[in-house]
Amino acid sequence: MNTRTKSLFAAHALLPEGWRTDVLLEWDATGTLVAVTPDKRDAPAGVARAAGPVIPGMPNLHSHAFQRAMAGLTEYRANPTDSFWSWRELMYRFAARIMPETLGAIARWLYVEMLKAGYTSVCEFHYVHHAEDGTRHANPAELAQRVVDAASETGIGMTMLPVLYQFSGFGEEPPRDDQRRFVNTTEGYLDLLAALRHARPEHGALRYGVAPHSLRAVSEASLRVVIEALNDISPDAPVHIHIAEQTAEVDASLAALGARPVQWLLDRFDVNARWCLVHATHIDASETAALAKSGAIAGLCLTTEANLGDGIFPANEYLDAGGAFGIGSDSHVGVDWRAELRLLEYGQRLSRRQRNVLASHETAQVADRLFRDALEGGACATGRAVGALMPGARADWIVLDADHPNLAEQTSATWLSSVVFCEHGESPVRDVFVGGECVIRERRHRDEARHYRDYRAALARLFAGA
Ligand code: ZN
Protein backbone atom coordinates (compact mmCIF):
# COMPACT_ATOMS: atom_id res chain seq x y z
CA MET A 1 0.00 0.00 0.00
CA ASN A 2 1.20 3.49 -0.85
CA THR A 3 2.13 5.18 2.41
CA ARG A 4 0.16 8.24 1.37
CA THR A 5 -3.00 6.18 0.90
CA LYS A 6 -5.46 6.11 3.76
CA SER A 7 -8.10 3.49 4.37
CA LEU A 8 -11.22 2.55 6.30
CA PHE A 9 -12.88 -0.84 6.70
CA ALA A 10 -16.69 -0.97 6.68
CA ALA A 11 -18.66 -4.10 7.62
CA HIS A 12 -21.45 -2.71 5.41
CA ALA A 13 -21.22 -0.08 2.66
CA LEU A 14 -23.63 1.09 -0.02
CA LEU A 15 -21.76 0.81 -3.34
CA PRO A 16 -23.17 1.69 -6.78
CA GLU A 17 -24.38 -1.92 -7.20
CA GLY A 18 -26.05 -1.99 -3.76
CA TRP A 19 -25.14 -2.97 -0.21
CA ARG A 20 -21.90 -4.95 0.11
CA THR A 21 -20.14 -6.37 3.13
CA ASP A 22 -16.56 -6.19 4.37
CA VAL A 23 -15.61 -3.22 2.20
CA LEU A 24 -12.17 -1.64 2.24
CA LEU A 25 -12.21 2.02 1.18
CA GLU A 26 -8.84 3.48 0.16
CA TRP A 27 -8.14 7.08 -0.82
CA ASP A 28 -5.17 9.23 -1.73
CA ALA A 29 -3.73 12.43 -0.30
CA THR A 30 -5.99 14.57 -2.52
CA GLY A 31 -9.10 13.03 -0.95
CA THR A 32 -10.03 10.86 -3.95
CA LEU A 33 -11.01 7.22 -3.65
CA VAL A 34 -8.45 4.96 -5.35
CA ALA A 35 -9.92 1.55 -4.47
CA VAL A 36 -13.21 0.21 -3.10
CA THR A 37 -12.96 -3.51 -2.41
CA PRO A 38 -15.88 -5.55 -1.04
CA ASP A 39 -15.66 -9.04 0.49
CA LYS A 40 -12.37 -8.38 2.29
CA ARG A 41 -13.09 -11.00 4.92
CA ASP A 42 -10.97 -9.37 7.63
CA ALA A 43 -9.91 -5.81 8.13
CA PRO A 44 -6.22 -5.53 7.24
CA ALA A 45 -4.03 -4.91 10.29
CA GLY A 46 -3.94 -1.31 11.42
CA VAL A 47 -6.94 -0.18 9.36
CA ALA A 48 -9.61 1.78 11.20
CA ARG A 49 -13.13 0.32 11.24
CA ALA A 50 -16.20 2.42 10.46
CA ALA A 51 -18.49 2.65 13.48
CA GLY A 52 -21.54 1.66 11.39
CA PRO A 53 -22.93 1.22 7.87
CA VAL A 54 -21.34 3.56 5.30
CA ILE A 55 -23.40 5.38 2.65
CA PRO A 56 -22.31 8.10 0.20
CA GLY A 57 -22.59 11.71 1.39
CA MET A 58 -25.49 13.64 -0.12
CA PRO A 59 -24.94 16.71 -2.37
CA ASN A 60 -27.05 19.75 -1.51
CA LEU A 61 -27.69 21.33 -4.90
CA HIS A 62 -29.27 24.62 -3.86
CA SER A 63 -28.35 27.01 -1.06
CA HIS A 64 -28.66 30.71 -0.29
CA ALA A 65 -26.44 30.73 2.79
CA PHE A 66 -27.54 34.07 4.30
CA GLN A 67 -31.16 32.94 4.48
CA ARG A 68 -30.22 30.51 7.26
CA ALA A 69 -30.28 33.42 9.70
CA MET A 70 -33.92 34.27 8.94
CA ALA A 71 -35.32 30.74 9.33
CA GLY A 72 -38.34 30.92 11.64
CA LEU A 73 -38.73 34.70 11.38
CA THR A 74 -41.37 34.82 8.66
CA GLU A 75 -43.94 32.39 10.05
CA TYR A 76 -46.59 34.97 10.92
CA ARG A 77 -49.44 36.33 8.85
CA ALA A 78 -48.54 39.79 7.57
CA ASN A 79 -51.53 40.02 5.23
CA PRO A 80 -54.37 37.69 4.24
CA THR A 81 -52.70 36.74 0.97
CA ASP A 82 -49.22 35.91 2.23
CA SER A 83 -47.24 34.12 -0.45
CA PHE A 84 -43.79 33.68 -1.84
CA TRP A 85 -43.92 37.30 -2.99
CA SER A 86 -44.63 38.75 0.48
CA TRP A 87 -41.94 36.47 1.93
CA ARG A 88 -39.54 37.85 -0.67
CA GLU A 89 -40.13 41.41 0.60
CA LEU A 90 -39.04 40.31 4.09
CA MET A 91 -36.09 38.41 2.70
CA TYR A 92 -34.91 41.47 0.75
CA ARG A 93 -35.01 43.56 3.93
CA PHE A 94 -32.92 40.94 5.63
CA ALA A 95 -30.48 40.69 2.70
CA ALA A 96 -29.95 44.44 2.90
CA ARG A 97 -28.32 44.06 6.35
CA ILE A 98 -25.82 41.31 5.45
CA MET A 99 -22.17 42.37 5.82
CA PRO A 100 -19.15 40.37 4.64
CA GLU A 101 -18.12 39.12 8.08
CA THR A 102 -21.75 38.40 9.02
CA LEU A 103 -22.17 36.37 5.86
CA GLY A 104 -19.00 34.39 6.57
CA ALA A 105 -20.15 33.50 10.08
CA ILE A 106 -23.65 32.48 8.93
CA ALA A 107 -22.24 30.35 6.12
CA ARG A 108 -19.74 28.61 8.41
CA TRP A 109 -22.46 27.63 10.86
CA LEU A 110 -24.81 26.58 8.07
CA TYR A 111 -22.14 24.33 6.59
CA VAL A 112 -21.50 22.78 10.01
CA GLU A 113 -25.22 21.98 10.12
CA MET A 114 -25.11 20.57 6.60
CA LEU A 115 -22.15 18.35 7.44
CA LYS A 116 -23.83 17.12 10.61
CA ALA A 117 -26.85 16.15 8.49
CA GLY A 118 -24.65 14.26 6.02
CA TYR A 119 -24.56 16.79 3.19
CA THR A 120 -20.96 16.61 1.95
CA SER A 121 -21.24 19.03 -0.99
CA VAL A 122 -23.13 22.26 -1.48
CA CYS A 123 -23.99 24.31 -4.57
CA GLU A 124 -24.15 27.92 -3.42
CA PHE A 125 -26.45 30.11 -5.55
CA HIS A 126 -24.86 33.30 -4.36
CA TYR A 127 -26.50 36.61 -5.26
CA VAL A 128 -25.67 39.26 -2.62
CA HIS A 129 -22.62 40.76 -4.29
CA HIS A 130 -22.31 44.46 -3.47
CA ALA A 131 -22.29 46.93 -0.57
CA GLU A 132 -25.61 48.02 0.97
CA ASP A 133 -25.91 51.00 -1.39
CA GLY A 134 -25.18 48.86 -4.44
CA THR A 135 -21.58 50.00 -4.97
CA ARG A 136 -19.10 47.31 -5.87
CA HIS A 137 -16.56 46.27 -3.26
CA ALA A 138 -12.88 46.92 -4.08
CA ASN A 139 -12.75 43.18 -4.62
CA PRO A 140 -15.97 42.62 -6.61
CA ALA A 141 -16.08 39.04 -5.34
CA GLU A 142 -15.70 40.03 -1.67
CA LEU A 143 -18.95 38.41 -0.51
CA ALA A 144 -18.75 35.30 -2.70
CA GLN A 145 -15.21 34.76 -1.47
CA ARG A 146 -16.40 34.74 2.16
CA VAL A 147 -18.77 31.92 1.27
CA VAL A 148 -16.06 29.96 -0.55
CA ASP A 149 -13.81 30.39 2.50
CA ALA A 150 -16.61 29.21 4.79
CA ALA A 151 -16.78 25.97 2.81
CA SER A 152 -13.06 25.33 3.01
CA GLU A 153 -12.89 26.25 6.72
CA THR A 154 -15.67 23.86 7.65
CA GLY A 155 -14.66 21.12 5.21
CA ILE A 156 -17.70 20.86 2.92
CA GLY A 157 -17.20 20.47 -0.84
CA MET A 158 -18.46 23.46 -2.82
CA THR A 159 -19.73 24.43 -6.23
CA MET A 160 -19.83 28.23 -6.19
CA LEU A 161 -22.39 29.68 -8.57
CA PRO A 162 -22.25 33.48 -8.59
CA VAL A 163 -25.64 34.79 -9.66
CA LEU A 164 -26.28 37.07 -12.63
CA TYR A 165 -29.21 39.34 -11.76
CA GLN A 166 -30.16 42.22 -14.06
CA PHE A 167 -33.90 42.85 -14.21
CA SER A 168 -36.84 42.88 -11.84
CA GLY A 169 -39.20 41.16 -14.24
CA PHE A 170 -39.81 39.80 -17.74
CA GLY A 171 -39.39 42.36 -20.52
CA GLU A 172 -36.13 43.70 -18.99
CA GLU A 173 -37.89 45.68 -16.30
CA PRO A 174 -35.30 47.82 -14.44
CA PRO A 175 -34.15 46.42 -11.09
CA ARG A 176 -35.70 47.78 -7.91
CA ASP A 177 -33.72 49.69 -5.29
CA ASP A 178 -33.79 46.72 -2.95
CA GLN A 179 -32.20 44.54 -5.65
CA ARG A 180 -29.17 46.79 -6.17
CA ARG A 181 -26.87 44.57 -4.11
CA PHE A 182 -27.55 41.75 -6.58
CA VAL A 183 -27.24 43.54 -9.91
CA ASN A 184 -24.31 43.32 -12.35
CA THR A 185 -23.75 44.20 -15.97
CA THR A 186 -22.75 41.13 -17.93
CA GLU A 187 -19.20 42.45 -18.11
CA GLY A 188 -19.12 43.23 -14.40
CA TYR A 189 -20.40 39.77 -13.66
CA LEU A 190 -17.66 38.10 -15.70
CA ASP A 191 -15.08 40.29 -13.92
CA LEU A 192 -16.46 39.12 -10.60
CA LEU A 193 -16.21 35.47 -11.64
CA ALA A 194 -12.66 35.99 -12.91
CA ALA A 195 -11.61 37.71 -9.67
CA LEU A 196 -13.03 34.85 -7.66
CA ARG A 197 -11.36 32.16 -9.75
CA HIS A 198 -8.08 34.01 -9.45
CA ALA A 199 -8.27 34.52 -5.67
CA ARG A 200 -9.59 31.02 -4.92
CA PRO A 201 -8.56 28.63 -7.72
CA GLU A 202 -10.48 25.41 -8.27
CA HIS A 203 -9.33 22.20 -6.58
CA GLY A 204 -10.82 18.80 -5.74
CA ALA A 205 -13.28 20.31 -3.24
CA LEU A 206 -14.11 23.51 -5.15
CA ARG A 207 -15.64 24.13 -8.55
CA TYR A 208 -17.22 27.12 -10.24
CA GLY A 209 -20.28 27.45 -12.44
CA VAL A 210 -22.79 30.17 -13.25
CA ALA A 211 -26.28 30.94 -12.03
CA PRO A 212 -28.40 33.20 -14.21
CA HIS A 213 -30.97 33.98 -11.50
CA SER A 214 -34.13 33.27 -13.52
CA LEU A 215 -35.67 34.09 -16.87
CA ARG A 216 -37.25 37.14 -15.23
CA ALA A 217 -33.86 38.49 -14.10
CA VAL A 218 -31.69 38.01 -17.22
CA SER A 219 -32.14 38.54 -20.94
CA GLU A 220 -31.66 35.93 -23.62
CA ALA A 221 -28.62 37.87 -24.86
CA SER A 222 -26.91 38.06 -21.47
CA LEU A 223 -27.65 34.39 -20.82
CA ARG A 224 -25.89 33.50 -24.08
CA VAL A 225 -22.86 35.68 -23.30
CA VAL A 226 -22.43 34.17 -19.84
CA ILE A 227 -22.72 30.58 -21.05
CA GLU A 228 -20.25 31.20 -23.85
CA ALA A 229 -17.81 32.72 -21.37
CA LEU A 230 -18.26 29.70 -19.11
CA ASN A 231 -17.63 27.37 -22.04
CA ASP A 232 -14.26 29.06 -22.51
CA ILE A 233 -13.42 28.11 -18.94
CA SER A 234 -14.91 24.64 -19.03
CA PRO A 235 -17.58 23.32 -21.41
CA ASP A 236 -19.10 21.08 -18.76
CA ALA A 237 -19.13 23.54 -15.85
CA PRO A 238 -22.59 23.68 -14.29
CA VAL A 239 -25.35 26.19 -15.11
CA HIS A 240 -28.08 26.60 -12.48
CA ILE A 241 -31.23 28.70 -12.88
CA HIS A 242 -34.47 29.26 -10.94
CA ILE A 243 -37.06 28.32 -13.50
CA ALA A 244 -40.74 27.94 -12.59
CA GLU A 245 -41.29 28.31 -8.86
CA GLN A 246 -44.43 30.40 -9.06
CA THR A 247 -47.55 30.30 -11.22
CA ALA A 248 -47.33 34.10 -11.54
CA GLU A 249 -43.87 33.59 -13.04
CA VAL A 250 -45.27 31.13 -15.60
CA ASP A 251 -48.08 33.57 -16.49
CA ALA A 252 -45.61 36.44 -16.90
CA SER A 253 -43.39 34.27 -19.07
CA LEU A 254 -46.32 33.34 -21.30
CA ALA A 255 -47.24 37.02 -21.63
CA ALA A 256 -43.72 38.30 -22.29
CA LEU A 257 -42.03 35.42 -24.10
CA GLY A 258 -44.99 33.54 -25.51
CA ALA A 259 -44.01 30.31 -23.78
CA ARG A 260 -43.83 28.74 -20.34
CA PRO A 261 -40.33 29.15 -18.80
CA VAL A 262 -39.13 25.54 -19.08
CA GLN A 263 -40.42 25.22 -22.63
CA TRP A 264 -38.87 28.54 -23.62
CA LEU A 265 -35.48 27.49 -22.25
CA LEU A 266 -35.58 24.02 -23.84
CA ASP A 267 -36.51 25.58 -27.21
CA ARG A 268 -33.63 28.04 -27.24
CA PHE A 269 -30.70 26.52 -25.38
CA ASP A 270 -28.87 23.23 -25.49
CA VAL A 271 -30.20 22.15 -22.11
CA ASN A 272 -28.41 18.98 -21.01
CA ALA A 273 -26.90 17.35 -17.92
CA ARG A 274 -24.79 20.42 -17.08
CA TRP A 275 -28.02 22.32 -16.36
CA CYS A 276 -29.85 22.36 -13.06
CA LEU A 277 -33.38 23.77 -13.24
CA VAL A 278 -34.19 24.79 -9.69
CA HIS A 279 -37.86 24.74 -8.70
CA ALA A 280 -39.16 23.29 -11.97
CA THR A 281 -42.36 23.14 -9.96
CA HIS A 282 -44.89 24.31 -12.51
CA ILE A 283 -44.41 22.25 -15.66
CA ASP A 284 -47.12 20.85 -17.90
CA ALA A 285 -47.15 17.33 -19.33
CA SER A 286 -45.10 18.14 -22.41
CA GLU A 287 -42.51 20.10 -20.39
CA THR A 288 -42.29 17.18 -17.95
CA ALA A 289 -41.48 14.75 -20.76
CA ALA A 290 -39.09 17.15 -22.51
CA LEU A 291 -37.24 18.09 -19.33
CA ALA A 292 -36.82 14.41 -18.40
CA LYS A 293 -35.48 13.68 -21.88
CA SER A 294 -33.01 16.58 -21.79
CA GLY A 295 -30.91 15.02 -19.03
CA ALA A 296 -31.00 18.26 -17.03
CA ILE A 297 -31.32 17.98 -13.27
CA ALA A 298 -34.55 19.15 -11.65
CA GLY A 299 -33.45 20.94 -8.47
CA LEU A 300 -36.10 20.12 -5.88
CA CYS A 301 -36.13 21.95 -2.55
CA LEU A 302 -39.11 20.34 -0.89
CA THR A 303 -39.02 21.90 2.59
CA THR A 304 -38.59 25.40 1.16
CA GLU A 305 -41.21 24.84 -1.55
CA ALA A 306 -43.64 23.65 1.13
CA ASN A 307 -42.74 26.53 3.44
CA LEU A 308 -43.27 29.11 0.69
CA GLY A 309 -46.46 27.51 -0.61
CA ASP A 310 -44.98 27.08 -4.10
CA GLY A 311 -46.84 24.00 -5.27
CA ILE A 312 -46.12 20.33 -5.90
CA PHE A 313 -43.66 19.16 -8.54
CA PRO A 314 -45.10 16.34 -10.72
CA ALA A 315 -42.53 13.89 -9.36
CA ASN A 316 -44.34 10.69 -10.31
CA GLU A 317 -44.70 11.56 -13.98
CA TYR A 318 -41.20 13.01 -14.15
CA LEU A 319 -39.52 9.98 -12.60
CA ASP A 320 -41.59 7.63 -14.76
CA ALA A 321 -40.25 9.54 -17.78
CA GLY A 322 -36.69 8.89 -16.56
CA GLY A 323 -36.08 12.44 -15.28
CA ALA A 324 -33.06 13.22 -13.11
CA PHE A 325 -33.33 15.21 -9.88
CA GLY A 326 -31.37 16.30 -6.85
CA ILE A 327 -32.33 18.04 -3.63
CA GLY A 328 -31.44 21.31 -1.99
CA SER A 329 -32.12 23.03 1.31
CA ASP A 330 -32.48 26.43 -0.41
CA SER A 331 -33.84 28.82 2.27
CA HIS A 332 -32.65 26.47 5.05
CA VAL A 333 -35.88 26.36 6.98
CA GLY A 334 -34.55 22.83 7.52
CA VAL A 335 -31.14 21.36 6.71
CA ASP A 336 -31.70 17.62 6.34
CA TRP A 337 -31.69 15.55 3.15
CA ARG A 338 -33.83 12.94 4.90
CA ALA A 339 -36.66 15.48 5.30
CA GLU A 340 -36.36 16.56 1.65
CA LEU A 341 -36.72 12.97 0.38
CA ARG A 342 -39.54 12.24 2.82
CA LEU A 343 -41.47 15.30 1.71
CA LEU A 344 -40.92 14.47 -1.96
CA GLU A 345 -42.77 11.20 -1.39
CA TYR A 346 -45.31 12.64 1.05
CA GLY A 347 -46.43 15.34 -1.42
CA GLN A 348 -47.34 12.52 -3.79
CA ARG A 349 -49.02 10.43 -1.09
CA LEU A 350 -51.14 13.34 0.12
CA SER A 351 -52.25 14.47 -3.31
CA ARG A 352 -52.90 10.95 -4.67
CA ARG A 353 -54.10 9.22 -1.51
CA GLN A 354 -51.69 6.35 -2.20
CA ARG A 355 -48.55 4.97 -0.56
CA ASN A 356 -45.07 4.22 -1.89
CA VAL A 357 -45.75 6.27 -5.00
CA LEU A 358 -42.14 6.92 -6.00
CA ALA A 359 -40.94 3.32 -5.82
CA SER A 360 -39.86 1.94 -9.19
CA HIS A 361 -40.19 -1.45 -10.88
CA GLU A 362 -36.56 -2.17 -10.07
CA THR A 363 -36.53 -0.71 -6.55
CA ALA A 364 -39.54 -1.40 -4.35
CA GLN A 365 -38.14 0.52 -1.38
CA VAL A 366 -39.04 4.19 -1.95
CA ALA A 367 -36.18 5.49 0.17
CA ASP A 368 -33.56 3.41 -1.66
CA ARG A 369 -34.82 4.66 -5.00
CA LEU A 370 -34.98 8.33 -3.98
CA PHE A 371 -31.63 8.23 -2.18
CA ARG A 372 -29.86 6.75 -5.20
CA ASP A 373 -31.49 9.14 -7.68
CA ALA A 374 -30.82 12.20 -5.49
CA LEU A 375 -27.17 11.18 -5.15
CA GLU A 376 -26.76 10.76 -8.88
CA GLY A 377 -28.62 13.91 -9.91
CA GLY A 378 -27.15 15.97 -7.08
CA ALA A 379 -23.64 14.86 -7.99
CA CYS A 380 -24.22 15.84 -11.61
CA ALA A 381 -25.43 19.29 -10.52
CA THR A 382 -22.24 19.89 -8.52
CA GLY A 383 -20.08 19.25 -11.60
CA ARG A 384 -17.73 17.42 -9.21
CA ALA A 385 -16.81 13.74 -8.86
CA VAL A 386 -19.03 12.97 -5.88
CA GLY A 387 -22.06 10.90 -4.93
CA ALA A 388 -20.73 7.33 -5.16
CA LEU A 389 -18.30 5.08 -3.35
CA MET A 390 -16.11 4.16 -6.29
CA PRO A 391 -12.57 4.83 -7.50
CA GLY A 392 -12.17 8.31 -8.92
CA ALA A 393 -14.88 9.83 -6.74
CA ARG A 394 -14.24 12.05 -3.73
CA ALA A 395 -13.94 10.17 -0.43
CA ASP A 396 -17.22 11.59 0.91
CA TRP A 397 -19.47 9.45 3.07
CA ILE A 398 -21.74 9.12 6.06
CA VAL A 399 -21.30 6.53 8.80
CA LEU A 400 -24.72 5.62 10.16
CA ASP A 401 -25.32 4.72 13.80
CA ALA A 402 -26.24 1.02 13.68
CA ASP A 403 -27.28 1.19 17.34
CA HIS A 404 -29.83 3.93 16.69
CA PRO A 405 -33.30 2.65 17.68
CA ASN A 406 -34.42 3.03 14.07
CA LEU A 407 -31.64 0.82 12.69
CA ALA A 408 -31.08 -1.65 15.52
CA GLU A 409 -31.95 -5.29 14.76
CA GLN A 410 -32.75 -4.43 11.13
CA THR A 411 -30.84 -5.46 8.02
CA SER A 412 -29.50 -3.35 5.16
CA ALA A 413 -32.78 -3.99 3.28
CA THR A 414 -34.60 -1.44 5.44
CA TRP A 415 -31.86 0.83 6.80
CA LEU A 416 -32.46 3.62 4.28
CA SER A 417 -36.23 3.36 4.74
CA SER A 418 -35.83 3.90 8.46
CA VAL A 419 -33.28 6.66 7.99
CA VAL A 420 -35.51 8.58 5.56
CA PHE A 421 -39.00 7.98 6.91
CA CYS A 422 -38.49 7.75 10.67
CA GLU A 423 -37.78 10.73 12.87
CA HIS A 424 -37.09 9.79 16.48
CA GLY A 425 -34.58 11.50 18.74
CA GLU A 426 -31.06 12.16 17.60
CA SER A 427 -29.92 11.84 14.00
CA PRO A 428 -28.80 8.41 12.72
CA VAL A 429 -25.90 10.25 11.01
CA ARG A 430 -22.95 9.50 13.31
CA ASP A 431 -19.73 10.35 11.47
CA VAL A 432 -19.14 12.22 8.21
CA PHE A 433 -16.06 12.12 6.00
CA VAL A 434 -15.35 14.66 3.27
CA GLY A 435 -12.35 14.21 0.98
CA GLY A 436 -11.27 11.44 3.35
CA GLU A 437 -11.23 13.77 6.39
CA CYS A 438 -13.47 12.93 9.31
CA VAL A 439 -15.20 16.31 9.82
CA ILE A 440 -18.08 15.03 11.96
CA ARG A 441 -17.23 12.55 14.70
CA GLU A 442 -19.99 11.25 16.95
CA ARG A 443 -22.34 13.97 15.70
CA ARG A 444 -19.96 16.84 16.49
CA HIS A 445 -18.09 19.03 14.03
CA ARG A 446 -14.43 19.45 14.81
CA ASP A 447 -14.85 23.23 15.27
CA GLU A 448 -18.49 23.31 16.24
CA ALA A 449 -18.22 25.47 19.38
CA ARG A 450 -16.24 28.19 17.61
CA HIS A 451 -18.51 28.36 14.59
CA TYR A 452 -21.59 28.48 16.79
CA ARG A 453 -20.13 31.31 18.88
CA ASP A 454 -19.40 33.30 15.71
CA TYR A 455 -22.90 32.59 14.38
CA ARG A 456 -24.55 33.87 17.56
CA ALA A 457 -22.45 37.01 17.45
CA ALA A 458 -23.50 37.54 13.83
CA LEU A 459 -27.18 37.07 14.76
CA ALA A 460 -26.82 39.54 17.61
CA ARG A 461 -25.43 42.15 15.19
CA LEU A 462 -28.15 41.46 12.62
CA PHE A 463 -31.00 41.61 15.10
CA ALA A 464 -29.60 44.71 16.81
CA GLY A 465 -29.82 46.46 13.45
CA ALA A 466 -33.37 45.26 12.79
ZN1 ZN B 1 -33.22 29.65 -4.71
Side-chain angles (χ1 to χ4, degrees):
M1 189 195 297
N2 183 330
T3 51
R4 292 169 63 84
T5 303
K6 294 182 184 172
S7 53
L8 184 75
F9 183 82
H12 300 272
L14 185 61
L15 307 190
E17 69 267 28
W19 284 102
R20 299 297 299 266
T21 54
D22 300 332
V23 179
L24 183 66
L25 300 156
E26 297 171 90
W27 64 96
D28 66 15
T30 71
T32 302
L33 281 162
V34 292
V36 178
T37 317
D39 303 323
K40 286 283 253 193
R41 304 238 174 265
D42 292 301
V47 172
R49 296 184 75 101
V54 172
I55 61 176
M58 180 61 73
N60 185 341
L61 59 61
H62 194 62
S63 165
H64 307 289
F66 79 88
Q67 292 180 14
R68 170 63 184 94
M70 57 181 284
L73 301 182
T74 61
E75 309 301 326
Y76 60 93
R77 182 183 286 185
N79 68 61
T81 56
D82 266 340
S83 68
F84 167 85
W85 304 104
S86 54
W87 170 83
R88 195 181 71 156
E89 299 294 321
L90 300 172
M91 184 269 284
Y92 279 0
R93 271 186 248 156
F94 201 78
R97 297 204 298 272
I98 297 291
M99 302 295 153
E101 56 282 6
T102 318
L103 179 62
I106 295 169
R108 288 196 298 278
W109 176 247
L110 171 66
Y111 298 156
V112 166
E113 291 180 322
M114 284 190 194
L115 289 164
K116 285 168 65 114
Y119 283 124
T120 46
S121 300
V122 59
C123 300
E124 187 64 37
F125 200 103
H126 173 80
Y127 60 86
V128 184
H129 295 302
H130 311 309
E132 308 89 277
D133 62 358
T135 54
R136 286 166 82 81
H137 291 285
N139 168 9
E142 170 79 38
L143 283 151
Q145 200 168 304
R146 301 282 180 146
V147 178
V148 170
D149 289 347
S152 63
E153 281 175 50
T154 53
I156 198 166
M158 168 163 280
T159 303
M160 167 49 78
L161 306 154
V163 172
L164 176 65
Y165 201 106
Q166 300 187 308
F167 307 109
S168 68
F170 287 99
E172 307 190 10
E173 240 176 76
R176 302 172 7 170
D177 265 2
D178 56 5
Q179 295 168 331
R180 61 193 170 192
R181 299 191 72 182
F182 319 153
V183 173
N184 281 292
T185 61
T186 308
E187 194 179 52
Y189 173 80
L190 293 175
D191 285 348
L192 187 157
L193 181 61
L196 193 53
R197 292 179 62 244
H198 179 75
R200 299 289 184 268
E202 287 191 346
H203 52 83
L206 174 64
R207 186 150 198 211
Y208 292 105
V210 297
H213 179 274
S214 55
L215 294 183
R216 34 188 170 91
V218 300
S219 67
E220 180 173 353
S222 57
L223 186 50
R224 287 199 189 285
V225 170
V226 164
I227 291 172
E228 274 163 31
L230 185 67
N231 287 343
D232 289 343
I233 300 168
S234 169
D236 66 348
V239 181
H240 290 219
I241 185 167
H242 290 138
I243 195 71
E245 184 171 8
Q246 296 296 318
T247 53
E249 187 177 18
V250 175
D251 294 344
S253 176
L254 278 164
L257 305 175
R260 302 167 63 87
V262 169
Q263 194 62 57
W264 186 90
L265 190 71
L266 292 172
D267 286 346
R268 277 163 190 76
F269 287 83
D270 178 21
V271 176
N272 52 31
R274 82 187 298 198
W275 287 75
C276 178
L277 273 57
V278 182
H279 309 305
T281 313
H282 299 290
I283 47 178
D284 66 16
S286 88
E287 288 175 301
T288 303
L291 180 59
K293 196 165 165 233
S294 75
I297 311 304
L300 307 179
C301 308
L302 292 304
T303 54
T304 294
E305 289 156 7
N307 185 270
L308 298 180
D310 289 350
I312 299 180
F313 175 76
N316 192 36
E317 293 80 357
Y318 181 74
L319 294 191
D320 275 354
F325 78 92
I327 50 165
S329 58
D330 190 2
S331 70
H332 314 301
V333 67
V335 178
D336 186 352
W337 57 267
R338 300 181 302 133
E340 302 299 333
L341 295 183
R342 194 184 315 139
L343 196 50
L344 179 58
E345 167 69 15
Y346 280 177
Q348 299 298 307
R349 291 190 190 189
L350 288 164
S351 58
R352 290 165 181 267
R353 288 170 286 168
Q354 289 177 329
R355 298 193 72 242
N356 301 319
V357 177
L358 300 179
S360 67
H361 290 303
E362 301 75 39
T363 312
Q365 300 276 357
V366 175
D368 290 56
R369 196 268 174 103
L370 295 183
F371 183 75
R372 189 191 56 223
D373 283 13
L375 278 181
E376 201 175 310
C380 187
T382 67
R384 299 174 50 244
V386 297
L389 301 177
M390 63 181 193
R394 299 289 296 168
D396 295 354
W397 58 78
I398 293 166
V399 180
L400 296 171
D401 180 358
D403 296 321
H404 191 284
N406 290 341
L407 277 75
E409 304 304 323
Q410 294 188 15
T411 68
S412 58
T414 54
W415 281 337
L416 280 176
S417 299
S418 294
V419 163
V420 169
F421 286 102
C422 302
E423 187 63 84
H424 306 87
E426 63 185 356
S427 167
V429 173
R430 184 186 191 276
D431 305 325
V432 178
F433 286 66
V434 187
E437 295 287 322
C438 183
V439 291
I440 304 294
R441 192 180 296 279
E442 295 184 40
R443 300 184 176 82
R444 296 283 295 177
H445 185 273
R446 56 190 182 192
D447 298 318
E448 185 160 335
R450 175 165 63 87
H451 294 313
Y452 184 61
R453 197 172 56 236
D454 291 351
Y455 178 64
R456 281 195 70 147
L459 288 181
R461 286 196 299 275
L462 270 172
F463 296 165

